[in-house]
Amino acid sequence: MKEVAVVTGGAGFLGSHLCDKLLENGMKVICMDNLLTGNIENIEHLFGNENFQFIKHDVTNFIHVPGRVDYILHFASPASPIDYLQLPIQTLKVGSLGTHKALGLAKEKKARFLLASTSEVYGDPEIHPQKESYWGNVNPIGPRGVYDEAKRFAEALTMAYHRYHGVQTRIVRIFNTYGPRMRLNDGRALPAFFSQALKGEDITVFGDGSQTRSFTYVSDLIDGIFRLLMSNETEPVNIGNPQEITILDFAKEIIELINTNCKIVFQDLPVDDPKVRQPDISRAKELLSWMPKVDRKIGLKLTLNYFQEKIKNS
Ligand code: UDP
């Protein structure tokens, strides 16, 4: 009998790659998504697979799954800044009520639960690079607070279910990730820069571009998450590529890759935009023997092919 995994947000960018990974590892996968920011195109290739099932459901409501469930991976949430600014209540609800329902299902089924948390729990960090032991610097009432606090609450609830109900839980703190299946217009830096550069538009850098991020290629992230799921580690683990770059240099890197003469234009920095972000991955290295393998130069080339196709077909 195959093991069964439920992936909430399974039609999203990361959720869909996770569905692929779990199927490749011999599991049956139930993908749950309300398609608010997820896209059925991300999982279309799985519809003929007898081990794959899609259920359109909003996980802020009671989740019913008949039969065996071994793993629940809770990835449902708007995840790009423009999404959670446009969907603030849904973002708070899926992080709180949705996490509660998903944990309730894990308790009922005696399944292992993995929470997709985020580097955003560190807010605008005063410690650099960020270790899991850092408690963060989050503005609870700022526009980004809806995402940050929802994920912080989700972590607290996950630990409470672990400590009080004995649910087997895992928490991954995901840093900026990129790769195929990102939405062209999801507003994040990388899809924005790619689509602007490919369409010959101005590249919009927010602020003076001196803020930093560390970008992880999606296959590395998914590998780290799978290792964490299979480990015994209940405390949060950062998964991200420590290769740090300023946003201005990142924009230049993409312009160079595409070989265009697009102009960089500077726009206002969004409120509470973190000034730096880089994961300390000592725990992932030590506990999961995980290290990112895909260099940004290679990852960006792979992603370019995807965006070129996407723009051609749009
Ligand atoms: N950013 C930018 N231009 C854009 C979109 C984003 O300069 O068109 C900046 C944004 O202000 C942030 C960084 O790029 O400093 C990364 O933003 P993203 O939305 O990708 O994710 P975040 O790390 O802020 O969650």
Side-chain angles (χ1 to χ4, degrees), residues 79-82 84 119-120 144 147 176 182 186-193 196 203-207 209 211-213 215 247-248 250 267-270 273-274 277:
S80 101
I82 56 163
Y84 49 76
S119 55
E120 285 284 317
R144 291 178 90 103
Y147 184 66
N176 294 65
M182 286 188 106
D186 96 347
R188 280 184 271 206
L190 183 135
F193 295 167
Q196 289 160 345
I203 310 286
T204 54
V205 166
F206 299 162
Q211 69 275 29
T212 69
R213 295 293 185 272
F215 294 93
I247 291 300
L248 182 58
F250 190 52
Q267 296 186 352
D268 289 346
L269 190 66
D273 199 282
R277 186 181 286 154

Side-chain angles (χ1 to χ4, degrees), residues 256-274:
E256 201 177 306
L257 174 72
I258 295 177
N259 195 14
T260 125
N261 48 14
C262 287
K263 219 168 67 246
I264 292 179
V265 294
F266 293 91
Q267 296 186 352
D268 289 346
L269 190 66
V271 177
D272 296 332
D273 199 282

Side-chain angles (χ1 to χ4, degrees), residues 16 27 29 41 49-50 89 92 94 97 104 119 134 143 161 164-165 169 175 193 196 205 211 236 246 255-256 290:
S16 64
M27 295 186 195
V29 172
E41 274 177 29
N49 187 328
E50 59 176 15
I89 315 283
L92 280 159
V94 76
L97 306 179
S119 55
Y134 176 48
Y161 266 68
Y164 189 75
H165 288 307
T169 57
F175 283 66
F193 295 167
Q196 289 160 345
V205 166
Q211 69 275 29
T246 68
I255 290 173
E256 201 177 306
W290 177 85

Side-chain angles (χ1 to χ4, degrees), residues 47-62:
F47 278 113
N49 187 328
E50 59 176 15
N51 294 317
F52 179 77
Q53 190 191 348
F54 172 67
I55 300 175
K56 186 164 186 283
H57 181 66
D58 175 350
V59 296
T60 61
N61 299 312
F62 186 84

Side-chain angles (χ1 to χ4, degrees), residues 15-303:
S16 64
H17 283 286
L18 207 52
C19 290
D20 290 342
K21 176 82 174 179
L22 299 168
L23 286 164
E24 277 163 31
N25 279 274
M27 295 186 195
K28 278 185 184 277
V29 172
I30 300 170
C31 164
M32 219 170 250
D33 205 300
N34 66 350
L35 302 178
L36 186 63
T37 57
N39 186 347
I40 211 84
E41 274 177 29
N42 291 338
I43 48 167
E44 240 164 16
H45 62 289
L46 298 176
F47 278 113
N49 187 328
E50 59 176 15
N51 294 317
F52 179 77
Q53 190 191 348
F54 172 67
I55 300 175
K56 186 164 186 283
H57 181 66
D58 175 350
V59 296
T60 61
N61 299 312
F62 186 84
I63 306 171
H64 174 67
V65 178
R68 169 178 181 171
V69 176
D70 301 280
Y71 302 100
I72 297 164
L73 298 102
H74 183 42
F75 276 66
S77 178
S80 101
I82 56 163
D83 285 340
Y84 49 76
L85 297 183
Q86 279 162 11
L87 304 165
I89 315 283
Q90 288 94 329
T91 303
L92 280 159
K93 281 176 74 179
V94 76
S96 55
L97 306 179
T99 305
H100 184 223
K101 300 295 175 285
L103 277 163
L105 181 67
K107 175 169 157 257
E108 168 69 22
K109 301 284 184 182
K110 300 190 171 37
R112 187 174 292 180
F113 176 87
L114 184 143
L115 173 69
S117 186
T118 164
S119 55
E120 285 284 317
V121 300
Y122 303 122
D124 188 6
E126 293 150 314
I127 302 279
H128 192 66
Q130 293 76 53
K131 273 186 192 302
E132 291 88 345
S133 52
Y134 176 48
W135 291 353
N137 178 37
V138 170
N139 174 4
I141 57 164
R144 291 178 90 103
V146 296
Y147 184 66
D148 304 5
E149 295 295 6
K151 290 290 187 182
R152 289 168 67 96
F153 175 86
E155 287 198 7
L157 195 61
T158 300
M159 291 309 292
Y161 266 68
H162 172 64
R163 293 191 181 113
Y164 189 75
H165 288 307
V167 174
Q168 291 183 50
T169 57
R170 310 285 179 266
I171 298 174
V172 57
R173 291 189 180 148
I174 298 171
F175 283 66
N176 294 65
T177 302
Y178 68 97
R181 301 190 195 155
M182 286 188 106
R183 279 154 39 215
L184 260 181
N185 58 350
D186 96 347
R188 280 184 271 206
L190 183 135
F193 295 167
F194 265 116
S195 72
Q196 289 160 345
L198 287 168
K199 291 178 184 164
E201 297 167 359
D202 292 344
I203 310 286
T204 54
V205 166
F206 299 162
D208 62 5
S210 63
Q211 69 275 29
T212 69
R213 295 293 185 272
S214 307
F215 294 93
T216 312
Y217 189 66
V218 63
S219 58
D220 279 337
L221 181 91
I222 297 295
D223 175 41
I225 291 172
F226 189 75
R227 285 169 189 249
L228 175 62
L229 181 68
M230 294 302 152
S231 78
N232 288 322
E233 190 50 45
T234 51
E235 301 271 314
V237 180
N238 288 339
I239 300 286
N241 189 326
Q243 258 193 317
E244 188 184 15
I245 185 170
T246 68
I247 291 300
L248 182 58
D249 285 344
F250 190 52
K252 288 180 182 161
E253 220 172 71
I254 291 178
I255 290 173
E256 201 177 306
L257 174 72
I258 295 177
N259 195 14
T260 125
N261 48 14
C262 287
K263 219 168 67 246
I264 292 179
V265 294
F266 293 91
Q267 296 186 352
D268 289 346
L269 190 66
V271 177
D272 296 332
D273 199 282
K275 284 184 266 312
V276 288
R277 186 181 286 154
Q278 183 189 33
D280 179 319
I281 56 166
S282 328
R283 274 171 59 73
K285 276 186 188 158
E286 190 186 320
L287 301 166
L288 313 176
S289 307
W290 177 85
M291 281 262 288
K293 295 195 191 94
V294 183
D295 183 76
R296 199 173 53 240
K297 290 253 167 354
I298 312 270
L300 286 181
K301 276 208 189 105
L302 297 169
T303 310

